[in-house]
Amino acid sequence: MNQTEYYTVPFVYQTVQEFQDRPAHITVTVPGSKSITNRALLLATLAQGTSTLRGALFSDDSRHFLQCIQDLGFSVSSDEASSTMIVHGLGGAVPKSEASVYVGSAGTAARFLTAYLGVSRGTFRLNASEQMKKRPMAPLLSVLRDLGTHITYHEKDGCFPFTLTGEGPRTSSMKVNIDHSSQFLSALLIASPCFPEDVHIRLEGSHGMAYIAMTTRMMEEFGVAAKPLPPQTYLIPHGQSYHALDYQIEPDVSAACYFYAMALLLGISVTVRHVSMDSIQGDMQFLAFLRKMGCQVEAAPMGVTVTGPKYGRYPGITADMHTCSDQAITLAAVAPFASSPTVITGIGHIRHQESDRIRAICTELSRMGIRCQEGEDSITIYPGQPHPCRILTYDDHRMAMGFSLTGLRAPGIVIDDPGCCRKTFPQYFTVLDQAVANLTPSRPANPEG
């Protein structure tokens, strides 16, 4: 496989059908959660003392976040072999009063560090990749400006790159719109202990509340409680502080869902090691959609197992995916093989992510000969047989990973620029190849390992 140019997806559907008297089973391991890793990194930076983060994800996004923290003067060490990061936090203080950081294409680093540095004392220049320069930042920067942060834009107003200069927040009451990204609210919530008094955050919109729940739960684990108050307000009482932890990061459910979708697509059984049914990640909702399409979902000793319907025969569904929108591409990639149309709703905000994902999904499905209809915040996909096609990925890791599934059941699907998966899952295609190679007509009982 050429990781920098293209990846030809192995067509395995016909082979797997030979196993239908004993459904094929695979077991895979995925890296740590990107969402949890990056939240834990900032929480550890804000804590007083040394935190050890275990099971951490090492990808382009997390490496950019680590480098930013080091560029701010924090002592950080990491061991990729053991998936461990050690962060020496300073209780909210930034070691350097002047610094430049580069967040790459990491949305969490971009939003989280902007909020933290925006309410800190000092002058900080933040730059980003060309992709990140196009993604929304204005709602968060508007809040910081109202808090007293001076912002100098170096290219386009409301976008990277910019310089933040501040003497600490002049108020602790704010309003933030999260229609384009829940990370704006998560960023302000995590930074709230840096304020000198009780913090009140009123929000507009309701996108991504599963990620907000993840944020507040992790804040509480590190020692700070954020109290939701009606209507749509959070109170963070003053006097709380983060404490250092030895913290175990969950496997990335977003990554696991590609392999769970394989179970649906191929009519096989898939176990992802160490995934738990009580995971704090919003993408666990995707398993509920798989159930509606005929899958069985079980907690196994070594992880969660999904078993697809026989012969990979399943109906289309209507799915409001606002709580697990990263999986919209995943569902779209398997929708052509359903027996009825699939309608994906609640995804308007994904137009503003690594790519305009609604437009990208519809463009690539159409190039495969699949009929689909694009709405402002929805997609309708009709059944059909995809024809051979080279899938453009738009420098978007989820387009690459999601549409690789289509090729498992339709011959001739080639993924352009598979290396874009470095953002969150650098070894995705290696793991996929291993999973396909390990397909066997058996399903272990009570597997261990």
Side-chain angles (χ1 to χ4, degrees), residues 321-332:
M321 302 193 75
H322 74 278
T323 62
C324 58
S325 60
D326 277 346
Q327 299 310 316
I329 295 171
T330 313
L331 184 56

Side-chain angles (χ1 to χ4, degrees), residues 79-289:
D79 182 352
E80 295 198 21
S82 63
S83 302
T84 301
M85 301 176 179
I86 299 175
V87 182
H88 302 277
L90 297 176
V94 182
K96 295 182 179 180
S97 59
E98 293 187 22
S100 295
V101 298
Y102 178 77
V103 302
S105 297
T108 43
R111 279 68 180 259
F112 292 0
L113 290 173
T114 294
Y116 171 37
L117 297 176
V119 300
S120 299
R121 296 178 182 274
T123 299
F124 307 101
R125 180 181 173 114
L126 290 86
N127 204 350
S129 69
E130 291 302 313
Q131 183 191 73
M132 190 65 220
K133 289 178 183 179
K134 300 174 184 177
R135 295 177 64 184
M137 287 294 298
L140 177 58
L141 292 166
S142 177
V143 173
L144 294 177
R145 186 183 61 243
D146 292 343
L147 294 175
T149 306
H150 179 73
I151 304 171
T152 302
Y153 296 110
H154 301 298
E155 292 182 14
K156 181 180 177 182
D157 285 4
C159 301
F160 282 98
F162 48 77
T163 296
L164 305 174
T165 303
E167 295 294 331
R170 65 188 180 193
T171 181
S172 61
S173 181
M174 66 206 79
K175 178 176 66 176
V176 62
N177 188 300
I178 62 170
D179 284 336
H180 287 166
S181 177
S182 64
Q183 290 173 356
F184 301 148
L185 176 56
S186 284
L188 294 166
L189 285 166
I190 293 173
S192 59
C194 297
F195 287 71
E197 55 189 356
D198 290 356
V199 173
H200 292 81
I201 306 174
R202 184 158 57 93
L203 62 148
E204 296 178 341
S206 58
H207 156 60
M209 295 310 293
Y211 286 101
I212 301 303
M214 174 192 293
T215 297
T216 55
R217 178 166 166 179
M218 290 183 66
M219 287 173 61
E220 189 166 357
E221 289 172 334
F222 276 83
V224 173
K227 301 179 180 179
L229 302 175
Q232 289 195 290
T233 299
Y234 283 87
L235 165 66
I236 304 90
H238 180 57
Q240 302 181 89
S241 59
Y242 296 118
H243 52 256
L245 289 180
D246 190 314
Y247 193 82
Q248 181 66 48
I249 292 166
E250 296 181 2
D252 192 349
V253 173
S254 297
C257 285
Y258 301 115
F259 298 97
Y260 288 142
M262 283 179 62
L264 172 79
L265 188 72
L266 302 177
I268 65 173
S269 181
V270 177
T271 300
V272 182
R273 290 184 179 92
H274 311 305
V275 174
S276 170
M277 292 299 290
D278 61 0
S279 167
I280 65 174
Q281 297 173 66
D283 276 5
M284 290 296 290
Q285 175 63 30
F286 187 67
L287 299 185
F289 296 133

Side-chain angles (χ1 to χ4, degrees), residues 25 27 442-447:
H25 179 273
T27 300
S442 61
R443 185 189 307 168
N446 297 321

Side-chain angles (χ1 to χ4, degrees), residues 330-393:
T330 313
L331 184 56
V334 301
F337 308 104
S339 60
S340 57
T342 297
V343 182
I344 304 171
T345 66
I347 55 171
H349 62 281
I350 73 173
R351 291 186 180 276
H352 308 283
Q353 295 184 306
E354 283 83 345
S355 64
D356 178 343
R357 286 180 172 167
I358 292 179
R359 178 64 52 84
I361 289 169
C362 291
T363 298
E364 297 312 304
L365 285 173
S366 296
R367 292 177 66 244
M368 286 188 282
I370 299 300
R371 179 187 168 205
C372 56
Q373 293 177 335
E374 175 182 342
E376 185 60 32
D377 71 341
S378 66
I379 304 171
T380 301
I381 302 166
Y382 296 89
Q385 179 60 38
H387 58 62
C389 182
R390 182 159 177 159
I391 301 296
L392 302 182
T393 53

